[in-house]
Amino acid sequence: MALDELKSGLTESETAVKEYVDSTAEYLKLKTFRFAMKVITHSIKGMVFGLIVFIALIFLSIALAFILNSMWESETMGYVAVGLMYIVVGIIVYLMRSRIDSSILKSFSKYYFDD
C-alpha cells in the first residue's frame, strides 16, 4: 500500500517535471524568437536610415568640396580637405571602438533581458 502511494507520487512528480521542462523550453523559444525579431527589425531600420544618411552625406561632402574649391581657387584642394576630414573622423571612430562596442552591447542587452 505504501509502495503504491510512493509510485503514484513519483509518477505525479515526473509528470510535473516534464510539464515544467516543456513549458520552460517553449518560453525560451519564444524569448529567443522575440529577441531575434527585434534584432532583425532594428537592423533593417538601421540599414535603411544609414543608407539615407550616407546618400545625404555624399551630396553634402561634394557640395562642401565645391565650396572649398571656389574659396581657395583650386580645383582639387576642397576634395583633399574633405577627404582628410573623413580620415580624421575615421581615426577618432577607430580609437573609440571599445566605447561603441559597449554601447551596442548594452543596447541589445536591454532588449533581451528587460522583458
Side-chain angles (χ1 to χ4, degrees):
M1 192 156 226
L3 189 58
D4 290 335
E5 289 176 16
L6 184 61
K7 276 186 177 180
S8 70
L10 287 176
T11 305
E12 290 173 9
S13 297
E14 181 183 355
T15 305
V17 168
K18 283 183 182 180
E19 288 175 1
Y20 174 75
V21 168
D22 290 342
S23 64
T24 302
E26 287 298 316
Y27 173 74
L28 289 175
K29 284 181 189 177
L30 287 173
K31 187 170 184 171
T32 303
F33 175 75
R34 182 176 181 204
F35 176 71
M37 287 299 103
K38 281 186 178 182
V39 168
I40 290 170
T41 57
H42 285 300
S43 297
I44 290 172
K45 286 189 276 186
M47 285 190 294
V48 168
F49 181 73
L51 180 65
I52 292 169
V53 169
F54 179 71
I55 291 170
L57 190 62
I58 288 173
F59 282 110
L60 291 173
S61 297
I62 292 170
L64 178 62
F66 278 133
I67 291 169
L68 293 175
N69 282 340
S70 66
M71 278 178 35
W72 292 334
E73 297 176 359
S74 170
E75 292 183 12
T76 57
M77 287 308 294
Y79 296 108
V80 171
V82 171
L84 289 175
M85 178 189 69
Y86 282 121
I87 289 174
V88 169
V89 169
I91 291 170
I92 291 170
V93 169
Y94 178 77
L95 294 174
M96 296 180 62
R97 68 187 180 277
S98 63
R99 288 184 183 174
I100 294 169
D101 290 343
S102 66
S103 67
I104 291 171
L105 182 62
K106 285 179 186 177
S107 174
F108 282 114
S109 297
K110 179 181 70 171
Y111 290 120
Y112 188 74
F113 293 112
D114 289 348
D115 284 333

